[in-house]
């Protein structure tokens, strides 16, 4: 396939294509009318598994990535968040930008890319997921497709990585001046388990909802609705295959930075008393989490991405057990296990805007 030919052919079949790169894996997908499934599957597997990249195309794509790095560095919020990740993670797994640095990209040779593709893009490391209005013909096409011409078997890099690598977060507190941002920031990060512990992850999503989803949530109510001390505040369950973080991020004026930090710590102390959480508050958070899963698994793109990722990493029943997880955490005695993550050591970063 010549440069640009793949996109042209997919579009001529009535489809669109895209790709995304994460810390743990890369996704390639096409959205296509069902009657053109066979042709699109052949095109996608051909370009992903058996690419023919010439030196001119390689150098052109290097320039594209370098431009993306420059654009990222021009975004103060993203630049600051990447700095936070580089400080909170002791290991490099999640502590470095996915894009890398301009120096990294400049030093890459085409031979490096060829070796990476040969080592990583083999049948032990790949999952193909299909979702949509699937007919018997679709299944037949897929079953009859032979990928042996492009997929060689090797020891699985995924299994080796999960066995030998763990993302390790640090604790402590740091203050920096970061004049590029309009408002000052507070980041707090607690180490949490990897995606391989879906029951715990669901519990942490419920906790995040209690803390920051909705005007009556603990942090938003006190710091935004009642006092207007912050421009924004939210809690994110930032998960990966090797570990994760529960992150609180608050945006406020510099004069309020230390007081907001104090208020956040006080609210966390209150939540650590499990009896302070009412059954109705817990139930509301559970309903929010349940709705998020439902709304995020509606389209064929969402479904194939989610289940492809689950199967790639050896998780086969996590979504099927969602109701069981939610029911389990609906008991405050059980939910105490989740709340106790907030009692662990955390890493705090205060970024002063100088404004």
């Amino acid at each position: 396939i010549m440069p640009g030919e793949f996109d042209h052919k997919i579009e001529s079949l009535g489809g669109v294509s895209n790709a995304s790169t994460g810390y743990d894996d890369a996704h390639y997908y096409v959205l296509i009318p069902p009657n053109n499934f066979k042709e699109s599957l052949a095109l996608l597997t051909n370009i992903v598994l058996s690419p023919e990249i010439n030196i001119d195309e390689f150098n052109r794509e290097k320039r594209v990535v370098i431009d993306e790095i420059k654009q990222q560095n021009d975004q103060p919020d993203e630049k600051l968040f990447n700095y936070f990740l580089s400080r909170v993670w002791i290991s490099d797994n999640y502590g470095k930008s996915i894009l890398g640095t301009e120096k990294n990209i400049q030093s890459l040779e085409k031979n490096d890319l060829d070796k990476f593709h040969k080592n990583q893009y083999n049948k032990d490391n790949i999952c193909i997921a299909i979702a949509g209005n699937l007919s018997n013909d679709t299944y037949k096409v897929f079953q009859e497709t032979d990928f042996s011409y492009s997929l060689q078997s090797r020891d699985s890099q995924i299994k080796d990585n999960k066995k030998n690598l763990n993302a390790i977060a640090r604790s402590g507190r740091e203050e920096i001046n970061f004049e590029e941002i309009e408002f000052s920031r507070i980041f707090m990060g607690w180490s949490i388990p990897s995606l391989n512990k879906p029951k715990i992850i669901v519990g942490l999503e419920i906790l995040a909802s209690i803390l920051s989803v909705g005007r009556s949530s603990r942090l938003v109510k006190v710091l935004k609705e009642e006092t207007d001390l912050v421009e924004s505040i939210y809690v994110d369950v930032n998960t990966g295959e090797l570990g994760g973080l529960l992150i609180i991020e608050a945006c406020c004026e510099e004069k309020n930075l230390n007081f907001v930090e104090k208020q956040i710590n006080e609210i966390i102390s209150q939540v650590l008393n499990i009896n302070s959480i009412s059954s109705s508050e817990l139930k509301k958070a559970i309903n929010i989490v349940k709705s998020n899963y439902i709304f995020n698994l509606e389209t064929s793109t969402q479904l194939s991405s989610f289940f492809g990722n689950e199967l790639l990493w050896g998780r086969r029943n996590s979504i099927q057990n969602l109701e069981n997880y939610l029911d389990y955490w609906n008991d405050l005695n059980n939910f105490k296990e989740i709340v106790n993550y907030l009692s662990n050591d955390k890493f705090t970063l205060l970024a002063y805007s100088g404004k």
Side-chain angles (χ1 to χ4, degrees):
I1 298 178
M2 298 296 293
E5 186 180 357
F6 172 79
D7 290 329
H8 175 74
K9 287 187 174 182
I10 290 294
E11 290 166 7
S12 69
L13 293 171
V16 294
S17 62
N18 210 333
S20 62
T21 305
Y23 281 104
D24 299 304
D25 45 48
H27 291 190
Y28 305 84
Y29 70 87
V30 294
L31 183 64
I32 202 81
N35 57 313
N36 291 331
F37 169 75
K38 182 176 182 179
E39 293 85 348
S40 65
L41 177 64
L43 286 167
L44 181 63
T45 53
N46 184 293
I47 196 170
V48 172
L49 304 177
S50 302
E52 294 183 8
I53 303 172
N54 62 50
I55 189 64
D56 292 335
E57 185 181 8
F58 174 73
N59 288 328
R60 182 168 58 251
E61 290 304 318
K62 282 177 63 173
R63 291 193 293 270
V64 169
V65 175
I66 288 172
D67 285 342
E68 291 177 352
I69 292 171
K70 291 178 177 178
Q71 291 173 17
Q72 182 185 73
N73 290 335
D74 286 338
Q75 302 295 321
D77 291 341
E78 192 166 355
K79 187 176 178 181
L80 177 58
F81 185 69
N82 283 336
Y83 176 81
F84 166 71
L85 293 179
S86 73
R87 298 299 300 141
V88 69
W89 288 114
I90 296 175
S91 51
D92 289 336
N93 309 102
Y94 302 136
K96 292 185 177 180
S97 167
I98 292 174
L99 286 172
T101 66
E102 186 172 346
K103 183 179 179 181
N104 294 149
I105 304 303
Q106 291 284 17
S107 67
L108 283 176
E109 302 289 343
K110 184 177 179 298
N111 188 48
D112 297 321
L113 182 62
D114 293 335
K115 287 181 178 179
F116 180 84
H117 186 274
K118 182 178 180 180
N119 290 332
Q120 299 293 337
Y121 283 65
N122 60 74
K123 72 178 184 181
D124 295 309
N125 289 357
I126 288 178
C127 174
I128 298 175
I130 304 165
N133 184 18
L134 305 182
S135 65
N136 289 333
D137 289 340
T138 304
Y139 287 108
K140 185 178 180 180
V141 167
F142 184 72
Q143 290 170 353
E144 292 177 351
T145 301
D146 180 14
F147 301 114
S148 61
Y149 69 94
S150 56
L151 287 175
Q152 300 180 21
S153 178
R154 294 182 181 84
D155 292 335
S156 175
Q157 298 292 317
I158 290 178
K159 293 177 183 177
D160 288 345
N161 285 346
K162 294 201 77 172
K163 186 193 306 181
N164 299 326
L165 298 176
N166 289 293
I168 303 171
R170 64 163 49 88
S171 59
R173 188 176 184 275
E174 181 179 325
E175 298 182 6
I176 63 168
N177 293 316
F178 202 86
E179 297 180 357
E180 299 171 62
I181 53 176
E182 182 178 358
F183 291 97
S184 296
R185 296 286 199 284
I186 299 173
F187 293 95
M188 296 181 180
W190 289 261
S191 180
I192 60 174
S194 71
L195 284 166
N196 205 35
K197 301 288 185 182
K199 183 177 179 180
I200 298 295
I201 299 304
V202 169
L204 289 164
E205 290 170 344
I206 296 169
L207 177 59
S209 179
I210 289 173
L211 290 172
S212 71
V213 178
R215 297 170 64 180
S216 62
S217 60
R218 294 296 184 100
L219 292 170
V220 174
K221 180 180 179 181
V222 174
L223 295 171
K224 180 63 177 176
E225 297 299 322
E226 294 180 351
T227 63
D228 203 27
L229 284 169
V230 300
E231 288 296 313
S232 63
I233 187 163
Y234 72 93
V235 181
D236 178 43
V237 182
N238 192 290
T239 52
E241 298 297 338
L242 306 177
L245 294 170
L246 180 71
I247 300 173
I248 295 178
E249 179 180 351
C251 173
C252 64
E253 294 184 11
E254 184 173 304
K255 65 181 181 180
N256 296 326
L257 196 62
N258 293 103
F259 183 66
V260 169
E261 180 191 13
K262 180 181 177 182
Q263 289 291 100
I264 293 174
N265 286 328
E266 287 182 2
I267 293 169
I268 290 170
S269 295
Q270 294 168 8
V271 173
L272 280 169
N273 176 11
I274 193 67
N275 294 322
S276 74
I277 301 175
S278 67
S279 57
S280 60
E281 184 179 18
L282 180 59
K283 184 64 177 177
K284 174 186 173 184
I286 287 173
N287 287 336
I288 290 171
V289 171
K290 182 177 180 179
S291 295
N292 287 339
Y293 273 94
I294 293 172
F295 294 146
N296 289 326
L297 291 174
E298 289 187 318
T299 69
S300 58
T301 300
Q302 291 171 326
L303 288 166
S304 59
S305 176
F306 177 82
F307 286 105
N309 184 267
E310 292 286 283
L311 291 173
L312 177 67
W313 293 96
R315 293 183 294 273
R316 297 181 179 274
N317 299 309
S318 62
I319 195 66
Q320 295 176 10
N321 292 324
L322 178 61
E323 287 287 352
N324 292 333
Y325 297 157
L326 296 174
D327 288 342
Y328 181 82
W329 298 126
N330 197 28
D331 186 324
L332 283 171
N333 290 324
N334 296 335
F335 193 63
K336 187 175 181 180
E337 177 185 351
I338 296 299
V339 170
N340 283 341
Y341 277 95
L342 293 174
S343 66
N344 296 335
D345 292 338
K346 66 178 182 292
F347 178 79
T348 301
L349 175 68
L350 271 62
Y352 293 86
S353 64
K355 299 171 184 175

